[in-house]
Amino acid sequence: MEFRNVKLSEHEQVKDLYEDFYGPNYCEVERVFYTWLHHANPCRSLSASADEFTAFGAFQEGELLSCINYVPFKMVVQDHEYKSCWSVGWRVKDDRPGLAGFLLKRQIKNFDFYMSMGATQWVKSIYTTQFKFSYQHNIPRAIMVGNAVQTEEILRMNDTLILDDFGDIVQWADETRRAAEAGQYVFITDGSALNPQYWSDHRERVKATVSKEPAVLNWRYVSHPLMQYDIISTTSDQSAGIAVLRTEQSRDQDFRVVRLLEFLPTKNNEKALSAAVARYTLDKSAAFLDFFCGNDTFIQQHMPTPFIQQQDHQPYLFPRMFQPLEWRERYSINASFRQFAGGEAPSLKMNDVYFTKGDPSQDILLNREYVTKLL
Amino acid sequence: MMKNNELIDIIKAVLCEAAQREIDVDSKTSLLDARVIDSLTVLALVSGLEERFDIEFEDDDLDVDNFETIDTIAAMLTNRYL
């Protein structure tokens, strides 16, 4: 048996392997998306050559039997960069149970940090029992309320909600409106023209971060083949830093939410960028905005009002998913994390790391009906 | 040197512990074909054997061929680690 990265010429085998399970026309293995995610990634060369995808496979006589799709990235800790990866999905042929275990065991130690989001109970049990990953059931989240009436309507749909006083929601919407009055934003459409100041300030602000350097953001958000994201700043010179957002329209209900994927203000411009985000949220007529970030200290220290902190909005049980609207706890936005780097690498905990729901590739189930970019 | 039947008994015990259930297979039965092990059990078996024998498997040994049957596991352990 041969264990190696999948070659570009073997894409059809990956497609067949995954579509066997997920059904035909599965977005995530379509060539355009797969090539973007597993080849165009500026960090690909950390673990794959120019003729390979970032997909680790087990082959027998040239036949792909099992595969781990992964997205390499640089974990930046102070001035050091560590070879890291997000796992984004395994498959194994039905008649080869157990093979994925060998594949994972071989692949995992090629990286200093290994992370995953959205693990099933099964994957979680493998990570935590066999590899001693730390696991967070729900990534911390900041909220911003845009429309109090709509937000209250949404929250009231949850039968398990005990609260009946929505005074906070009204107050939070007022705070958003006040911030937005002072806020302004421009769209940054040229991903190659990102002002890198946000990146140097961001590295000083956090103990560790998934790389958010301009080339990565340009790839991740501007060149995404299927989803439309907006990068905004307060002015065209981006002196206040940048935020990345998208708007999500509920398919079942008449409301929309803004999903904030990155919040990267420059030093002392947290408030100005928050005001820009508030303005954007109101302009999009969103009921509310949310932002999932693994580093709760970042949210507490660098996301001022009208962002609402986890401990304040927690009792209202804001839904995490909207397609369909979903309240059940088992639909968590979970993350798994393991450090393999020894030596001089500082010991990290998962909540030391700035990562967001925008990592590594998807912040939404990538069903075709949710594609927002015109093809 | 450990006797082969002792080694096989130990591997069976580690396998049962990895699978968290009683597994009654002879030493020549294909563990994969008999659906005795899945990915989680494979990993638990590997780490259980590493712990039991105080060894660390080389990457090249982490292959389905070596873990095909209890006999092949015993042969690999004897030839490479014990």
Side-chain angles (χ1 to χ4, degrees):
Chain A
M1 192 153 295
E2 194 183 6
F3 294 87
R4 59 167 171 80
N5 280 328
V6 175
K7 303 276 185 196
L8 299 186
S9 57
E10 294 165 330
H11 171 259
E12 282 300 315
Q13 288 208 56
V14 177
K15 197 165 185 293
D16 290 345
L17 183 65
Y18 282 76
E19 289 189 343
D20 251 7
F21 182 76
Y22 291 105
N25 213 13
Y26 179 54
C27 254
E28 293 187 26
V29 290
E30 269 188 12
R31 185 174 284 278
V32 63
F33 179 79
Y34 199 80
T35 302
W36 167 76
L37 183 59
H38 296 292
H39 192 258
N41 176 1
C43 296
R44 185 205 69 231
S45 61
L46 289 175
S47 60
S49 58
D51 66 339
E52 293 175 334
F53 288 117
T54 55
F56 194 61
F59 294 83
Q60 192 157 44
E61 295 172 359
E63 183 188 2
L64 180 63
L65 301 177
S66 182
C67 184
I68 298 175
N69 289 328
Y70 67 95
V71 178
F73 70 93
K74 290 184 274 188
M75 179 74 82
V76 181
V77 187
Q78 289 140 18
D79 291 329
H80 298 277
E81 293 177 346
Y82 295 91
K83 180 180 166 183
S84 307
C85 109
W86 290 101
S87 173
V88 295
W90 316 346
R91 271 299 295 145
V92 61
K93 287 213 163 174
D94 289 342
D95 59 349
R96 297 295 176 139
L99 190 50
F102 293 115
L103 200 57
L104 184 62
K105 182 92 177 163
R106 283 167 172 260
Q107 192 234 5
I108 211 162
K109 53 188 174 187
N110 292 330
F111 298 94
D112 294 326
F113 293 91
Y114 200 93
M115 299 183 74
S116 171
M117 252 189 278
T120 59
Q121 283 298 312
W122 164 250
V123 172
K124 175 200 163 190
S125 69
I126 287 180
Y127 283 152
T128 54
T129 62
Q130 296 306 313
F131 294 103
K132 311 301 177 204
F133 275 62
S134 51
Y135 172 84
Q136 191 164 29
H137 186 60
N138 268 311
I139 303 169
R141 177 166 56 155
I143 293 280
M144 185 184 286
V145 176
N147 182 318
V149 173
Q150 269 194 331
T151 298
E152 183 180 331
E153 278 174 15
I154 294 166
L155 298 177
R156 280 188 186 279
M157 291 180 208
N158 182 0
D159 294 338
T160 65
L161 185 68
I162 298 167
L163 280 172
D164 200 35
D165 178 355
F166 291 86
D168 285 343
I169 302 294
V170 174
Q171 183 195 328
W172 294 340
D174 281 346
E175 286 166 354
T176 303
R177 184 181 44 75
R178 276 198 296 275
E181 281 169 4
Q184 58 176 7
Y185 64 89
V186 295
F187 291 104
I188 310 298
T189 53
D190 182 357
S192 66
L194 290 173
N195 179 340
Q197 186 60 44
Y198 77 84
W199 173 229
S200 53
D201 288 1
H202 178 69
R203 278 180 300 173
E204 287 179 19
R205 193 178 274 140
V206 294
K207 185 171 178 182
T209 181
V210 172
S211 176
K212 300 292 175 183
E213 60 191 323
V216 171
L217 294 195
N218 187 28
W219 162 70
R220 169 64 186 85
Y221 296 112
V222 182
S223 70
H224 195 295
L226 303 176
M227 301 298 289
Q228 177 67 49
Y229 295 95
D230 288 331
I231 301 180
I232 65 167
S233 186
T234 56
T235 53
S236 57
D237 66 0
Q238 307 163 39
S239 56
I242 57 168
V244 182
L245 314 98
R246 71 175 173 84
T247 307
E248 186 169 333
Q249 173 70 49
S250 169
R251 304 279 159 154
D252 309 320
Q253 311 282 340
D254 186 22
F255 71 88
R256 55 173 68 169
V257 288
V258 165
R259 318 306 297 258
L260 176 62
L261 286 316
E262 308 288 349
F263 186 72
L264 299 163
T266 51
K267 209 171 285 178
N268 301 320
N269 282 306
E270 290 88 346
K271 205 163 181 176
L273 194 62
S274 297
V277 170
R279 179 77 265 158
Y280 178 97
T281 302
L282 295 188
D283 286 353
K284 293 293 180 185
S285 304
F288 64 90
L289 163 150
D290 68 6
F291 175 62
F292 291 86
C293 177
N295 185 325
D296 52 356
T297 307
F298 177 88
I299 294 177
Q300 288 157 18
Q301 295 182 349
H302 305 292
M303 302 189 74
T305 309
F307 287 112
I308 307 304
Q309 300 291 317
Q310 175 90 18
Q311 71 271 15
D312 296 327
H313 69 69
Q314 181 71 31
Y316 290 96
L317 305 178
F318 278 76
R320 290 179 286 265
M321 297 171 75
F322 306 102
Q323 314 294 357
L325 193 57
E326 181 57 69
W327 309 96
R328 283 170 293 179
E329 183 62 19
R330 69 191 172 94
Y331 290 94
S332 67
I333 308 294
N334 66 58
S336 308
F337 170 87
R338 172 76 155 91
Q339 172 168 1
F340 292 93
E344 294 176 1
S347 178
L348 295 182
K349 296 188 182 115
M350 182 162 18
N351 63 8
D352 289 328
V353 181
Y354 174 96
F355 66 94
T356 77
K357 195 161 165 276
D359 294 303
S361 61
Q362 304 124 309
D363 58 303
I364 185 170
L365 285 172
L366 196 52
N367 297 323
R368 190 172 308 282
E369 59 189 297
Y370 305 135
V371 166
T372 55
K373 218 172 210 181
L374 292 175
L375 299 176
Chain B
M1 174 75 86
M2 187 181 289
K3 288 180 185 167
N4 195 52
N5 57 352
E6 281 178 46
L7 180 56
I8 282 173
D9 285 346
I10 292 172
I11 295 168
K12 279 184 178 174
V14 174
L15 178 60
C16 290
E17 202 172 308
Q20 298 186 326
R21 62 188 169 93
E22 277 304 308
I23 292 176
D24 186 20
V25 290
D26 70 45
S27 64
K28 294 183 179 5
T29 300
S30 167
L31 301 176
L32 292 174
D33 289 349
R35 302 279 175 151
V36 170
I37 55 178
D38 56 21
S39 295
L40 180 56
T41 312
V42 161
L43 290 164
L45 175 62
V46 167
S47 58
L49 292 170
E50 287 181 333
E51 194 175 317
R52 175 64 182 76
F53 295 108
D54 195 20
I55 57 173
E56 188 172 346
F57 287 113
E58 299 286 330
D59 266 7
D60 285 349
D61 292 325
L62 296 172
D63 200 335
V64 282
D65 295 341
N66 289 330
F67 286 80
E68 175 72 17
T69 66
I70 289 172
D71 275 352
T72 60
I73 297 171
M76 169 186 58
L77 285 169
T78 304
N79 295 335
R80 303 263 296 138
Y81 296 97
L82 302 181

Coordinates of all heavy atoms in Angstrom, one line a residue, chain A residues 248 250-253 255 319-328 331 365 367 369-370:
Chain A
E248 N -26.2 36.3 5.0 CA -26.8 35.1 4.7 C -28.3 35.2 4.9 O -28.8 35.7 5.9 CB -26.3 34.0 5.8 CG -26.8 32.6 5.5 CD -26.1 31.6 6.4 OE1 -24.9 31.8 6.7 OE2 -26.7 30.6 6.7
S250 N -31.9 33.7 5.3 CA -32.6 32.4 5.7 C -33.5 31.9 4.5 O -34.2 32.7 3.9 CB -33.4 32.6 6.9 OG -34.2 31.5 7.2
R251 N -33.4 30.7 4.3 CA -34.3 30.1 3.2 C -35.7 29.9 3.7 O -36.7 29.8 2.9 CB -33.7 28.8 2.7 CG -32.3 28.9 2.2 CD -32.3 29.4 0.8 NE -30.9 29.9 0.6 CZ -30.4 30.0 -0.6 NH1 -31.0 29.6 -1.7 NH2 -29.1 30.5 -0.8
D252 N -35.8 29.6 5.0 CA -37.1 29.2 5.5 C -37.9 30.4 6.2 O -39.1 30.3 6.4 CB -37.0 28.2 6.6 CG -36.1 27.0 6.1 OD1 -36.3 26.7 4.9 OD2 -35.3 26.5 6.8
Q253 N -37.2 31.4 6.5 CA -37.8 32.6 7.3 C -37.4 33.9 6.6 O -36.4 33.9 5.8 CB -37.2 32.6 8.7 CG -37.2 31.3 9.5 CD -38.6 30.9 10.0 OE1 -39.5 31.8 10.1 NE2 -38.8 29.7 10.2
F255 N -35.7 36.6 7.1 CA -34.7 37.4 7.8 C -33.3 37.1 7.3 O -33.1 36.1 6.6 CB -34.7 37.2 9.3 CG -34.2 35.8 9.8 CD1 -32.8 35.7 10.0 CD2 -35.0 34.8 10.0 CE1 -32.3 34.4 10.4 CE2 -34.5 33.5 10.3 CZ -33.2 33.4 10.6
P319 N -29.4 31.3 17.7 CA -29.2 30.1 16.9 C -27.8 30.3 16.2 O -27.4 31.4 15.9 CB -30.3 30.2 15.9 CG -30.8 31.6 15.8 CD -30.5 32.2 17.2
R320 N -27.2 29.1 15.9 CA -25.9 29.1 15.2 C -26.0 28.8 13.8 O -25.1 29.1 13.0 CB -25.0 28.1 15.9 CG -24.6 28.4 17.3 CD -23.7 27.3 17.9 NE -24.5 26.2 18.3 CZ -25.0 25.9 19.5 NH1 -24.7 26.8 20.5 NH2 -25.7 24.9 19.7
M321 N -27.1 28.2 13.4 CA -27.3 27.8 12.0 C -28.6 28.3 11.5 O -29.6 28.3 12.3 CB -27.1 26.3 11.8 CG -25.7 25.8 12.2 SD -25.6 24.0 12.3 CE -25.6 23.6 10.5
F322 N -28.7 28.6 10.2 CA -29.9 29.2 9.7 C -30.5 28.5 8.5 O -31.5 28.9 7.9 CB -29.6 30.6 9.3 CG -29.0 31.4 10.5 CD1 -27.6 31.6 10.5 CD2 -29.8 31.8 11.5 CE1 -27.1 32.3 11.6 CE2 -29.2 32.5 12.6 CZ -27.9 32.7 12.6
Q323 N -29.8 27.4 8.1 CA -30.3 26.7 6.8 C -30.5 25.2 7.1 O -29.7 24.4 6.7 CB -29.2 26.9 5.7 CG -28.7 28.3 5.6 CD -29.7 29.2 5.0 OE1 -30.9 28.9 4.8 NE2 -29.3 30.5 4.9
P324 N -31.5 24.8 7.8 CA -32.6 25.7 8.4 C -32.1 26.2 9.7 O -31.1 25.9 10.3 CB -33.7 24.7 8.5 CG -33.1 23.4 8.8 CD -31.8 23.4 8.0
L325 N -33.0 27.1 10.2 CA -32.8 27.6 11.6 C -32.7 26.5 12.6 O -33.5 25.6 12.6 CB -34.0 28.5 11.9 CG -34.0 29.4 13.1 CD1 -32.8 30.4 13.0 CD2 -35.3 30.1 13.2
E326 N -31.6 26.5 13.4 CA -31.3 25.3 14.1 C -31.0 25.6 15.6 O -30.1 26.5 15.8 CB -30.1 24.5 13.5 CG -29.7 23.3 14.2 CD -30.9 22.3 14.3 OE1 -31.3 21.7 13.2 OE2 -31.3 22.0 15.4
W327 N -31.6 25.0 16.5 CA -31.4 25.3 17.9 C -30.7 24.2 18.7 O -30.1 24.5 19.7 CB -32.7 25.6 18.6 CG -33.6 26.5 17.9 CD1 -34.6 26.2 17.1 CD2 -33.5 27.9 18.0 NE1 -35.2 27.3 16.6 CE2 -34.6 28.4 17.1 CE3 -32.7 28.9 18.7 CZ2 -34.8 29.8 17.0 CZ3 -33.0 30.2 18.5 CH2 -34.0 30.7 17.6
R328 N -30.8 23.0 18.1 CA -30.3 21.9 18.9 C -28.8 22.0 19.2 O -28.0 22.3 18.3 CB -30.7 20.6 18.3 CG -32.1 20.2 18.4 CD -32.5 19.1 17.5 NE -32.5 19.5 16.1 CZ -32.7 18.6 15.1 NH1 -33.1 17.4 15.4 NH2 -32.7 19.0 13.9
Y331 N -25.9 20.5 17.1 CA -25.3 21.2 16.0 C -24.3 22.3 16.5 O -24.6 23.5 16.3 CB -26.4 21.8 15.1 CG -27.2 20.7 14.4 CD1 -28.3 20.2 14.9 CD2 -26.7 20.2 13.2 CE1 -29.0 19.2 14.3 CE2 -27.4 19.2 12.6 CZ -28.6 18.7 13.1 OH -29.2 17.7 12.5
L365 N -22.4 25.2 5.3 CA -22.5 23.9 4.5 C -22.5 24.3 3.0 O -23.3 25.0 2.6 CB -23.8 23.2 4.9 CG -23.8 22.6 6.3 CD1 -25.2 22.0 6.5 CD2 -22.8 21.4 6.4
N367 N -23.6 23.4 0.3 CA -24.6 22.9 -0.7 C -24.7 23.8 -1.8 O -24.6 25.1 -1.6 CB -25.9 22.6 0.0 CG -25.8 21.6 1.1 OD1 -25.0 20.6 1.0 ND2 -26.5 21.8 2.2
E369 N -27.2 25.0 -3.3 CA -28.2 26.1 -3.2 C -27.7 27.3 -2.4 O -28.3 28.3 -2.4 CB -29.4 25.5 -2.5 CG -29.2 25.0 -1.2 CD -30.5 24.2 -0.7 OE1 -31.5 24.8 -0.5 OE2 -30.3 23.0 -0.4
Y370 N -26.6 27.2 -1.7 CA -26.2 28.3 -0.9 C -25.1 29.1 -1.6 O -24.5 30.1 -1.0 CB -25.7 27.9 0.5 CG -26.7 27.1 1.2 CD1 -26.4 25.9 1.9 CD2 -28.0 27.5 1.2 CE1 -27.4 25.1 2.5 CE2 -29.0 26.8 1.9 CZ -28.7 25.6 2.5 OH -29.7 24.9 3.2

